[in-house]
Amino acid sequence: MKSNGLPVIARKELRDHFRSRKFLLIFGIFLIITTIGMISGAAEYNKELQQYNERQSVADDDEFGMGFGGWGKPSIMSIYLQVSLLIITLGAVLGIAMGFDLISKEKETKSLKILLSHPIYRDEVINGKALGGLLALAIALGITFIITFAILLLSGIVPEGDELLKILVFGGAAFLMILSYFALSLFMSTVANDSGKALVYTLVIFVALTSLPILVNGPVMSIVIGDPPEYPEQMFSSDSVHRGMSVVSSSVSSDGKVEYKEPEPDPVWEEYNRQIKEYLNKRQSISDTITLISPTMNLQPLSYKLLIPDYSRMMSMVFSPVGGDDFEVQETDVFKDIFKNIIALFAFPAAFLGLAYVRFMRMDIR
Amino acid sequence: MITFDHLSKEYNGVYAVNDLNFEIPGGEIFGLLGPNGAGKSTAILMLTGLIEPTAGRCLIDGVEVAKNPIEVKHRIGYMPEDVGFYTNLSASENLDFFARLYGLDTSTRKSRIDELLSMMNLDGVEKLVGGYSKGMRQRLGIAKALLNDPAVIILDEPTANLDPQGVADYRRIIKKMAADGKTVLVSSHILSEVSLVCTSIGVLSQGKLVAEGTWKELTRVLQGEQVKILVETRGSMPEFNHPDLISAEYSNENHEAVITARSDIRDDIADTLREQNVMIRQLTLDRSTLEQAILLYYNTGDK
């Protein structure tokens, strides 16, 4: 015999979320602060754009092309960057608030027993709750992004195709991060006997997931890759000037002119440079891997990479050995760069929802 | 019809329900009696498909619960002891949600909900269920149990929080359901309530069914014990003579009497009163006698 439990429960949950004072309050604050952030960000952007245009009329100085915090053309992304931290913080709170009492409250009010005595399969209850929450989150974030676009358009700012794509990817990633915390709190709701405990458990894990990457980063790096290579000694000879990876010798001719000889490769420097590059690459790789264990920490670098133009390029310049002649700032594919983070952001909700499902299916209903 | 077919449930080596094997035919109001921890709720949870049996099976109208839980749940209406509702919804919203789970269409849902709320005196109550008294929730629980017009109604402690009007309404409804051919299973520890409503009784003790039958059959255990019978008539009643009669105390100008006998002689008393054309207002076993009988069965389970 057929059961229509899933759509009925999902629909009820969706309606419950939008009727819940808790949800409406947090979502309202989320929306108001985002709106204010977007309005001030758009005004700031227009001001910077005007200054940029004024500079352009004097001289074409856009060759550096950083576009963020530099002299280049300002980016629309900077507006979203301003609100990204808020979305990460309040979004996590919203996700937790939505999920922590979904099952535990049913246990407290004894409605779970009565619900399961109806012609529905047990998995439809947990799936319906997850689906209802997911839809509520999607609608809430959808409304938020529609409002942010409306503010942009009303401020006379029209994003280009590439910018729009990045904003949408950021929106999708933010949704996955919030969904991760919703799924975590839903899981805790199946574990704890009452909503208070479920909230405490969720907050403990939230704090652990947020702070753990920062706390373990240093020790893990020391253990795995050790100390950075030592700076080579006796690098400078009396008549040579160190210029990165090569040594330029100079001599003064009889007529008083300084003559530079062809640079001679310095094997010590070359070795040091190779080692430091390798060290920095390992360091970055470990840091990136550790970051993957936290939804919040995943979204942060992802938002920087998406919303700060040439972020990866800037970071590769910062973390590269200084001053090499052969140093090339490589163009990076942002989407390739954030692929790991996106996968991790899909993995979190999937894992927590899976755990919530298993726990709920094994739960003793007495 | 409800069938318990050698049904058992074990938790960590302890049997909460042990080899229940009996049938409750259609049109019967069956009372399941037993002390706390006797296994009444566990048996009901297996019957409603909320937990699975360790051994044996239970059937509703011939359909096995564990194998066809959805089909069975369409046939039953269940009200648990601690009836829980969604406190953020009104009574009609709660019933509408549950009615959707039964797949009822919009017009059926509306008419059924209106009818049930009116039947339980909850029509016109607009506030959320969170603001309901325990009694109101209990009445809503009974309404919910009848939502899908079930063939089998299972009620766990249905009158625990009801006011006298609520109890009267409940008795009326339950009797009507049984008259319509539905099977009603009432689990309760309120002996007087079970004695007034139920046509047959099962006594559970330590997970086992230690007695089953009508009240008359059950009180046979009191053979040799003193049985108290309360009699109330419209006219003056005659003096009774019966070999098992120990004493009779008449009062209120012989309109009332407390008979003490060695067995349940109610049938003989009724025959005597009918012969004398005296109208009977009450002819029941005294509560202490029922308790005495039930306690004897409970003790049987202890041994």
Side-chain angles (χ1 to χ4, degrees):
Chain A
M1 196 169 258
K2 229 179 92 181
S3 161
N4 61 342
L6 183 69
V8 174
I9 293 169
R11 200 179 131 154
K12 179 192 166 287
E13 289 301 320
L14 180 62
R15 194 177 60 168
D16 281 356
H17 284 304
F18 279 97
R19 282 171 66 163
S20 148
R21 276 187 219 160
K22 181 179 64 186
F23 175 83
L24 290 175
L25 181 72
I26 300 170
F27 180 47
I29 294 170
F30 185 79
L31 215 53
I32 290 166
I33 300 178
T34 308
T35 305
I36 293 168
M38 284 301 291
I39 291 169
S40 70
E44 186 71 20
Y45 168 81
N46 278 333
K47 201 173 132 190
E48 281 175 10
L49 189 65
Q50 198 184 348
Q51 286 170 351
Y52 167 79
N53 287 335
E54 281 166 10
R55 282 199 305 276
Q56 282 295 94
S57 62
V58 179
D60 184 8
D61 57 357
D62 194 30
E63 60 189 35
F64 207 59
M66 284 301 186
F68 182 81
W71 290 91
K73 192 180 176 188
S75 167
I76 293 171
M77 303 307 214
S78 62
I79 308 170
Y80 278 92
L81 189 70
Q82 279 192 6
V83 292
S84 68
L85 191 64
L86 162 92
I87 289 173
I88 291 170
T89 314
L90 264 180
V93 173
L94 183 69
I96 290 170
M98 282 173 68
F100 79 92
D101 61 353
L102 283 186
I103 299 295
S104 52
K105 199 177 174 188
E106 295 249 16
K107 284 190 255 181
E108 283 167 358
T109 59
K110 317 270 184 191
S111 52
L112 193 56
K113 202 189 271 184
I114 214 165
L115 174 63
L116 288 171
S117 71
H118 288 81
I120 50 167
Y121 293 106
R122 195 187 267 217
D123 61 349
E124 288 178 317
V125 175
I126 191 77
N127 291 341
K129 282 182 180 289
L131 184 61
L134 187 145
L135 289 173
L137 273 178
I139 292 170
L141 268 185
I143 291 170
T144 309
F145 273 83
I146 287 169
I147 289 175
T148 63
F149 280 127
I151 291 167
L152 285 187
L153 295 176
L154 288 171
S155 307
I157 304 164
V158 182
E160 287 169 11
D162 181 49
E163 291 169 326
L164 196 64
L165 181 65
K166 284 180 178 174
I167 291 166
L168 288 176
V169 172
F170 169 68
F175 169 72
L176 289 173
M177 189 230 36
I178 300 171
L179 187 64
S180 301
Y181 287 114
F182 167 74
L184 165 69
S185 57
L186 178 63
F187 171 48
M188 287 301 129
S189 184
T190 62
V191 171
N193 287 327
D194 61 75
S195 303
K197 278 183 190 160
L199 181 60
V200 170
Y201 297 163
T202 308
L203 289 176
V204 167
I205 295 175
F206 169 69
V207 170
L209 284 178
T210 312
S211 56
L212 215 59
I214 302 163
L215 293 173
V216 300
N217 210 2
V220 168
M221 275 189 197
S222 320
I223 293 164
V224 177
I225 54 169
D227 294 328
E230 278 187 26
Y231 199 78
E233 288 173 15
Q234 296 178 333
M235 282 309 300
F236 304 102
S237 58
S238 56
D239 61 344
S240 66
V241 176
H242 170 245
R243 291 177 59 198
M245 286 180 65
S246 58
V247 174
V248 177
S249 300
S250 62
S251 60
V252 182
S253 64
S254 52
D255 56 358
K257 284 184 181 172
V258 178
E259 289 178 356
Y260 289 99
K261 290 177 186 170
E262 279 299 305
E264 292 168 19
D266 185 333
V268 180
W269 251 109
E270 277 191 340
E271 179 57 20
Y272 169 73
N273 222 0
R274 191 192 60 75
Q275 284 179 3
I276 194 82
K277 259 188 177 176
E278 199 180 311
Y279 176 82
L280 290 172
N281 282 340
K282 276 185 186 170
R283 199 184 152 89
Q284 190 59 42
S285 159
I286 288 170
S287 178
D288 286 348
T289 310
I290 291 172
T291 300
L292 292 178
I293 66 168
S294 163
T296 319
M297 301 297 272
N298 248 304
L299 187 62
Q300 238 162 20
L302 182 144
S303 59
Y304 293 153
K305 285 170 190 171
L306 277 172
L307 303 177
I308 301 175
D310 296 322
Y311 174 78
S312 299
R313 221 170 132 197
M314 278 162 61
M315 294 317 281
S316 64
M317 279 171 71
V318 170
F319 286 110
S320 288
V322 188
D325 266 357
D326 65 343
F327 178 77
E328 281 178 24
V329 177
Q330 290 181 346
E331 285 293 335
T332 52
D333 182 353
V334 176
F335 295 108
K336 199 178 161 190
D337 234 21
I338 61 170
F339 183 72
K340 266 199 291 187
N341 301 94
I342 297 273
I343 294 295
L345 282 171
F346 270 109
F348 281 114
F352 288 129
L353 288 175
L355 287 169
Y357 178 90
V358 171
R359 171 73 193 157
F360 184 77
M361 294 301 282
R362 290 180 176 182
M363 215 161 78
D364 189 12
I365 310 287
R366 267 192 279 179
Chain B
M1 187 172 72
I2 300 171
T3 310
F4 292 95
D5 181 14
H6 298 284
L7 188 73
S8 295
K9 180 70 185 177
E10 182 201 337
Y11 290 112
N12 303 320
V14 178
Y15 277 92
V17 168
N18 194 350
D19 198 29
L20 281 193
N21 193 35
F22 66 101
E23 263 186 18
I24 306 169
E28 191 143 314
I29 306 175
F30 188 90
L32 202 55
L33 277 171
N36 291 335
K40 303 187 298 287
S41 294
T42 308
I44 284 179
L45 289 176
M46 285 190 277
L47 201 55
T48 52
L50 289 171
I51 56 172
E52 286 190 10
T54 309
R57 55 191 193 142
C58 42
L59 302 99
I60 300 282
D61 289 344
V63 182
E64 192 177 336
V65 179
K67 284 187 180 164
N68 303 289
I70 300 296
E71 194 179 339
V72 165
K73 286 171 183 181
H74 271 287
R75 291 168 189 244
I76 62 169
Y78 167 56
M79 187 185 80
E81 183 180 358
D82 296 317
V83 59
F85 285 102
Y86 296 105
T87 50
N88 59 331
L89 303 180
S90 67
S92 56
E93 284 172 333
N94 264 290
L95 293 183
D96 186 68
F97 168 64
F98 292 123
R100 281 171 194 270
L101 294 175
Y102 287 116
L104 302 180
D105 61 65
T106 312
S107 62
T108 313
R109 281 202 312 267
K110 196 183 175 319
S111 60
R112 190 83 185 126
I113 290 167
D114 289 346
E115 181 194 344
L116 288 168
L117 289 178
S118 166
M119 188 195 281
M120 297 314 297
N121 291 321
L122 288 169
D123 47 339
V125 183
E126 294 300 323
K127 64 180 171 183
L128 302 179
V129 171
Y132 274 28
S133 66
K134 279 186 177 178
M136 287 168 86
R137 284 185 198 207
Q138 198 105 15
R139 275 189 274 158
L140 184 58
I142 296 169
K144 193 225 72 68
L146 305 175
L147 195 58
N148 54 328
D149 193 18
V152 172
I153 300 154
I154 301 161
L155 307 167
D156 202 350
E157 302 289 355
T159 56
N161 299 301
L162 291 180
D163 57 23
Q165 182 58 53
V167 173
D169 289 343
Y170 151 77
R171 285 179 195 155
R172 180 176 44 79
I173 291 162
I174 291 308
K175 282 177 178 169
K176 189 185 176 301
M177 294 294 151
D180 290 347
K182 297 177 192 301
T183 312
V184 183
L185 172 62
V186 179
S187 163
S188 181
H189 66 271
I190 304 174
L191 207 54
S192 56
E193 191 51 51
V194 174
S195 69
L196 282 170
V197 174
C198 299
T199 46
S200 57
I201 295 99
V203 183
L204 276 184
S205 181
Q206 299 201 338
K208 287 180 187 169
L209 186 75
V210 290
E212 189 220 337
T214 61
W215 274 116
K216 188 153 182 66
E217 287 163 344
L218 289 188
T219 48
R220 279 194 197 129
V221 75
L222 295 171
Q223 204 70 37
E225 307 273 342
Q226 288 193 356
V227 174
K228 267 189 181 174
I229 300 164
L230 307 175
V231 190
E232 192 184 342
T233 54
R234 189 165 280 177
S236 286
M237 69 180 88
E239 284 201 7
F240 297 110
N241 288 305
H242 195 282
D244 283 351
L245 183 77
I246 296 169
S247 66
E249 290 171 29
Y250 298 92
S251 61
N252 196 16
E253 295 175 344
N254 285 7
H255 282 74
E256 290 174 16
V258 179
I259 312 283
T260 307
R262 286 184 199 89
S263 64
D264 184 0
I265 55 167
R266 282 181 296 167
D267 287 347
D268 298 329
I269 294 170
D271 290 343
T272 309
L273 292 172
R274 251 181 249 122
E275 280 165 17
Q276 305 275 332
N277 287 325
V278 179
M279 290 273 281
I280 304 166
R281 296 183 79 175
Q282 186 190 354
L283 181 60
T284 53
L285 287 173
D286 181 55
R287 191 180 160 174
S288 63
T289 300
L290 294 175
E291 280 171 358
Q292 200 182 342
I294 294 303
L295 280 172
L296 277 169
Y297 286 116
Y298 287 176
N299 293 336
T300 314
D302 288 342
K303 284 169 193 167

